[in-house]
Amino acid sequence: MSIKFKKINKAEFKTKKGSSVLLEKNSDDNFGEIQWNGRVFQLGWRGDFILPVIKVIDSINFGLGVDFDFIIVDCEKEEIRYKIELDEYFINFIVIENEIYIASELKVIQLGINNIKILNEFYLPEIFDRFVVTKNSIIASCIDNQIVTLNIF
């Protein structure tokens, strides 16, 4: 079953019953609803021109990144299993085997899924653009085409 996301307005966010609120700050201007595995979650965020990045990690956990936050949500317990506040804006993340690579503007964090522990931090020479996954490696590509190798298989 895939994750479903939709933007909602502030009134819907405040009055919705039967959902768990994951992220909410007084400064939030945007609101959304996530549906997955028969559960409903809500969140708020600041940036008008961005949307949260939400991906399945395994059969009970999903990851969510937006603004300066990245969280892992346990869908069965309906709670945040892990939260990291980033120094720069969140950009994207990928799940490769038992690891999550979390990209902010100038850094990639390698996180172990099994123990939820930071394994490594990679500082980037320029703003992150995208992940490149090959059969031999995981690479962070920057907007000026510089690259940083994150993992070699």
Side-chain angles (χ1 to χ4, degrees), residues 37-88:
N37 283 350
R39 307 285 203 298
V40 179
F41 303 91
Q42 292 182 302
L43 71 145
W45 70 95
R46 293 177 53 201
D48 286 331
F49 301 106
I50 61 168
L51 288 174
V53 176
I54 308 158
K55 298 178 186 176
V56 173
I57 294 172
D58 58 32
S59 63
I60 60 169
N61 297 290
F62 67 86
L64 182 152
V66 68
D67 290 335
F68 291 92
D69 297 307
F70 176 80
I71 62 175
I72 296 174
V73 178
D74 182 316
C75 190
E76 287 181 348
K77 294 180 181 176
E78 295 187 39
E79 65 185 22
I80 295 173
R81 182 175 170 206
Y82 178 80
K83 179 177 182 179
I84 186 168
E85 293 182 12
L86 304 166
D87 296 330
E88 302 102 18

Side-chain angles (χ1 to χ4, degrees), residues 117-128:
K117 182 178 177 183
I118 293 177
L119 304 174
N120 209 339
E121 294 182 351
F122 303 90
Y123 293 90
L124 305 175
E126 186 53 74
I127 295 174
F128 176 86

Side-chain angles (χ1 to χ4, degrees), residues 107-151:
K107 182 167 64 173
V108 175
I109 298 170
Q110 181 183 10
L111 185 71
I113 293 174
N114 296 334
N115 57 5
I116 306 296
K117 182 178 177 183
I118 293 177
L119 304 174
N120 209 339
E121 294 182 351
F122 303 90
Y123 293 90
L124 305 175
E126 186 53 74
I127 295 174
F128 176 86
D129 180 41
R130 62 189 163 90
F131 288 109
V132 177
V133 180
T134 70
K135 65 180 183 177
N136 299 325
S137 63
I138 301 168
I139 296 167
S141 178
C142 299
I143 61 171
D144 64 353
N145 294 323
Q146 291 187 66
I147 62 168
V148 174
T149 301
L150 307 175
N151 202 345

